[in-house]
Amino acid sequence: MIWLMLATLVVVFIIGFRVLNSKARRASRALTKRLNLDPVYVESLISLMGRKAGEEFVDYLSRDSEAHLSNAASVLLIYQVFIVDESDESLAFWRGVLRKAYLPLELSNEHVRLAMVFLRELEPDAYEMNDFRQRYNARFAADETILSEPPSNVIPLHSRLHRR
C-alpha cells in the first residue's frame, strides 16, 4: 500500500514538473533545433538569467518568429563567449554554429542591448560588452571580405536611375 502511494506521488510530481516547464521546454527546443545544439546550452542560459528574465526570454522565444530566434541565438552567443568562455576555440565554435544555422554572424548594438536586458541579473558591464561586440565584429570582418565574392563590373540599373 505504501509503494502504491509513493508511486502515485512520483507520477504526480513528474507530470506536474512537465506541465510547469512545458513552455520553457518548447522554447528551448525551438532554439536548439534551429541551432542544432544540445538543449543544455539554452537551458543553462535560461536558468542563469534568473526567474523573471528567464520567463521573459522564454516568452520572447515563444513568438515563433525567425527574427526572434535569430536574436535569441545572438544572445546565446554573447552569453557563451562573453560570459562563459572567451577563448578563441569557443568563439570559433559559436560562430560556426550561427553560420551552419544560416543566421547573421555580425553582432549589432541591438543584440547587445537585448543581451543586457536578459542577462541583467548577472550584471554585465555595458561598456565591456560593447567592446566585445566591436572586437568580435572587427576580428571576423577581415574573414568576411576574404570569403566574399570578387567585385563585379556589373552595375545595377536602378543605381543609374537614382544618380540623375
Side-chain angles (χ1 to χ4, degrees):
M1 185 70 166
I2 293 176
W3 291 105
L4 183 61
M5 288 190 299
L6 288 176
T8 304
L9 184 64
V10 167
V11 169
V12 168
F13 177 74
I14 291 172
I15 291 172
F17 180 77
R18 305 263 307 158
V19 167
L20 289 176
N21 291 326
S22 63
K23 187 174 181 181
R25 288 182 186 273
R26 280 193 309 267
S28 174
R29 190 176 314 127
L31 185 58
T32 57
K33 185 176 180 181
R34 180 71 168 95
L35 296 176
N36 196 20
L37 286 173
D38 290 333
V40 68
Y41 295 112
V42 179
E43 289 173 2
S44 69
L45 170 65
I46 293 171
S47 68
L48 288 175
M49 283 180 176
R51 182 176 180 98
K52 185 154 175 75
E55 289 173 359
E56 291 170 4
F57 189 72
V58 167
D59 289 340
Y60 187 80
L61 276 174
S62 297
R63 295 183 184 155
D64 290 334
S65 166
E66 183 65 26
H68 287 98
L69 284 175
S70 175
N71 292 338
S74 296
V75 170
L76 179 64
L77 173 115
I78 290 171
Y79 167 73
Q80 288 291 334
V81 178
F82 178 71
I83 294 177
V84 175
D85 181 16
E86 199 172 340
S87 69
D88 289 338
E89 296 82 21
S90 176
L91 193 62
F93 172 77
W94 287 103
R95 184 169 170 85
V97 167
L98 291 180
R99 179 177 284 137
K100 288 177 188 174
Y102 299 105
L103 293 173
L105 301 175
E106 186 173 323
L107 293 177
S108 66
N109 284 329
E110 289 77 23
H111 292 134
V112 171
R113 282 191 218 116
L114 193 62
M116 291 294 295
V117 168
F118 288 131
L119 301 172
R120 64 184 174 262
E121 290 204 11
L122 298 175
E123 298 178 356
D125 185 58
Y127 296 112
E128 287 180 13
M129 193 176 286
N130 195 37
D131 288 342
F132 163 75
R133 181 191 67 83
Q134 290 173 351
R135 284 192 317 268
Y136 171 85
N137 289 337
R139 176 177 178 187
F140 292 110
D143 293 345
E144 292 300 318
T145 57
I146 293 171
L147 294 175
S148 65
E149 295 180 20
S152 173
N153 60 355
V154 177
I155 300 172
L157 182 60
H158 68 356
S159 66
R160 268 187 198 231
L161 294 175
H162 292 291
R163 287 187 198 174
R164 292 184 183 165

